[in-house]
Amino acid sequence: MGVLRDMLTALRGGASEVGEAIVDANAIRILEQEIRDAESAIASAKQSLTRMKSSEIKLKREMATLDADVADYEQKAVAALNAGEEALATEVAERIAELESDRNDKGSEQAALDAEINKIHAMIKARERTIQKNKRELDKVRTVQELQRATESVSRNFAATGSSSHRVSAALERVKAKQENWQDRMQAGEWLEGQEAGDDIDAKLRAKGIGASGSGGANDVLARLKARQAG
Amino acid sequence: MILDDLAFRLNEYSGEEGTTFDALVTERGILEVVCSNNDEFPIHLTTTETQLLSVTPLFSVAEVQPDKLDELNRTFLQLSPAVPLSSIGLQGDTYILFGSMALSTRFEVVAHELEVQAENTIDVLEAVEHLLA
């Protein structure tokens, strides 16, 4: 059964209180037990598979030997016939019939074993599906439990401070103020960088004697005064 | 333990957009992460056998204006597909924003998801702020 439906039933039933188990601990134990059961079933199925497989290999080998024997005796029966040994050929033919019946017995034994092996393979696949499905269900349960745990501590704070109205708005305002403050500082930083870069250019220009008149202020003043006197 | 390792690396790390992280494993085994882009709503991380879960508790049902509850739920259902990497849910009486990642997720991707979740939290809360008490 789906765990999600169980959880919703529990929630509707009023298990919404923080800290209350949303999912029945029993349901989790059952899922875990099913996983363990399926895993041990798979382990023992794999053991019997190994046994069956070795029986099957043995059967096939025996069948091949019988086939070879039949072929051998057939040649011998033909040789006996060719030699006119009718009675001997009949004896060989009887032997061939025995071998063939033996081979057929082993053939049907092998077919039955094959069917059994296929059934076990299908069973293992089904169990593996159960395991995967239960693991997914368990993960849903764990997710809900962990979400609950992660929410719990803070919601207790909500309970303590939640009665004060506009808690969220106040917090939002503080965050936005900090962000603006940070942006202002970023802009200030950029402005300062620009200033420093500008100063740098002016300094370079002065060094090359371009732009604002450089040193030697006294000489300039004297020259200006002399020019005025002459005028 | 994966959460301890994650905490250690997050504390050393700075994201592409300059986001830094304060990470701490609580005594209950939950990793609490405060992202510098949203330090008011910490993200709580925990694990299952296969997943890393990141949860940001938003607010409790009691904090919603009682006559706006249906509107809030509908808004959340509409918003959910539009919020990248995060889902919105109700855990007990607490609305949460949450994400889940495979345990094998690369550290940089985890850090990025946390950054986005912290950002999404602000977006989502702004969208429903007017429905809260």
Side-chain angles (χ1 to χ4, degrees):
Chain A
M1 181 160 54
V3 158
L4 287 181
R5 199 173 53 191
D6 281 356
M7 284 190 305
L8 282 177
T9 312
L11 284 171
R12 290 210 189 92
S16 58
E17 284 297 308
V18 165
E20 199 166 334
I22 284 186
V23 179
D24 186 9
N26 232 359
I28 296 174
R29 269 197 295 277
I30 289 170
L31 283 175
E32 286 173 339
Q33 186 60 44
E34 277 179 6
I35 290 176
R36 276 196 298 275
D37 287 351
E39 276 168 350
S40 70
I42 287 178
S44 65
K46 280 185 175 163
Q47 274 180 352
S48 37
L49 255 192
T50 315
R51 270 200 309 275
M52 287 181 176
K53 207 68 200 171
S54 67
S55 308
E56 201 202 3
I57 291 168
K58 186 164 162 252
L59 273 176
K60 276 187 178 161
R61 197 174 49 232
E62 287 170 354
M63 280 156 66
T65 309
L66 287 171
D67 281 339
D69 285 353
V70 167
D72 186 37
Y73 278 117
E74 277 174 353
Q75 274 183 352
K76 285 174 178 157
V78 171
L81 281 177
N82 287 344
E85 296 281 353
E86 189 76 30
L88 189 58
T90 309
E91 225 175 295
V92 175
E94 276 164 9
R95 186 61 196 274
I96 290 173
E98 265 172 43
L99 288 173
E100 275 178 347
S101 127
D102 200 6
R103 193 215 171 275
N104 287 344
D105 285 351
K106 289 201 191 300
S108 45
E109 206 180 321
Q110 193 237 338
L113 206 53
D114 240 6
E116 201 62 32
I117 286 172
N118 285 340
K119 241 189 264 172
I120 289 184
H121 270 306
M123 194 272 268
I124 288 177
K125 274 207 185 107
R127 298 281 178 152
E128 271 167 359
R129 272 199 299 277
T130 307
I131 290 177
Q132 291 313 321
K133 183 175 165 291
N134 281 14
K135 282 189 172 167
R136 278 198 300 273
E137 295 282 276
L138 265 184
D139 211 50
K140 280 182 209 156
V141 175
R142 295 261 151 75
T143 302
V144 171
Q145 284 181 327
E146 288 304 313
L147 284 179
Q148 188 179 27
R149 229 161 58 82
T151 310
E152 213 169 78
S153 52
V154 174
S155 351
R156 265 199 228 106
N157 291 346
F158 286 175
T161 60
S163 49
S164 69
S165 58
H166 307 310
R167 180 189 66 86
V168 171
S169 300
L172 267 182
E173 250 167 61
R174 285 195 296 272
V175 169
K176 279 192 273 185
K178 268 176 219 150
Q179 278 186 340
E180 271 169 28
N181 194 350
W182 186 73
Q183 270 165 1
D184 289 350
R185 267 186 306 172
M186 284 278 285
Q187 277 178 5
E190 279 166 20
W191 173 81
L192 194 66
E193 262 177 39
Q195 285 290 305
E196 280 166 357
D199 284 355
D200 205 34
I201 285 172
D202 286 343
K204 278 183 195 161
L205 286 169
R206 270 199 304 278
K208 297 284 179 195
I210 301 167
S213 58
S215 57
N219 288 339
D220 284 355
V221 171
L222 204 59
R224 200 171 65 227
L225 291 176
K226 279 180 183 168
R228 204 182 290 164
Q229 235 178 2
Chain B
M1 176 71 186
I2 178 170
L3 290 181
D4 287 312
D5 180 49
L6 196 56
F8 180 76
R9 295 182 70 181
L10 279 171
N11 283 321
E12 306 275 299
Y13 186 73
S14 166
E16 269 173 40
E17 292 164 41
T19 306
T20 54
F21 304 88
D22 272 334
L24 176 85
V25 179
T26 68
E27 52 191 43
R28 303 186 64 240
I30 295 202
L31 173 58
E32 202 175 305
V33 180
V34 176
C35 303
S36 64
N37 59 345
N38 174 4
D39 58 359
E40 293 284 341
F41 295 89
I43 302 173
H44 294 209
L45 287 131
T46 178
T47 56
T48 70
E49 276 82 354
T50 55
Q51 303 176 82
L52 179 65
L53 303 166
S54 55
V55 184
T56 309
L58 301 175
F59 47 81
S60 68
V61 175
E63 288 175 275
V64 184
Q65 295 174 39
D67 57 332
K68 301 285 188 191
L69 208 51
D70 278 351
E71 190 181 340
L72 176 96
N73 288 334
R74 211 172 25 247
T75 308
F76 269 161
L77 283 176
Q78 284 167 340
L79 275 181
S80 198
V83 185
L85 307 180
S86 313
S87 311
I88 302 166
L90 191 57
Q91 177 62 61
D93 282 336
T94 305
Y95 284 94
I96 59 172
L97 195 71
F98 68 99
S100 57
M101 291 164 259
L103 280 183
S104 56
T105 308
R106 224 158 31 87
F107 169 76
E108 286 77 10
V109 177
V110 174
H112 177 66
E113 291 235 14
L114 294 177
E115 213 175 335
V116 173
Q117 185 164 331
E119 197 70 47
N120 285 343
T121 303
I122 301 175
D123 289 348
V124 165
L125 286 175
E126 275 181 339
V128 298
E129 194 183 352
H130 63 289
L131 303 172
L132 302 180

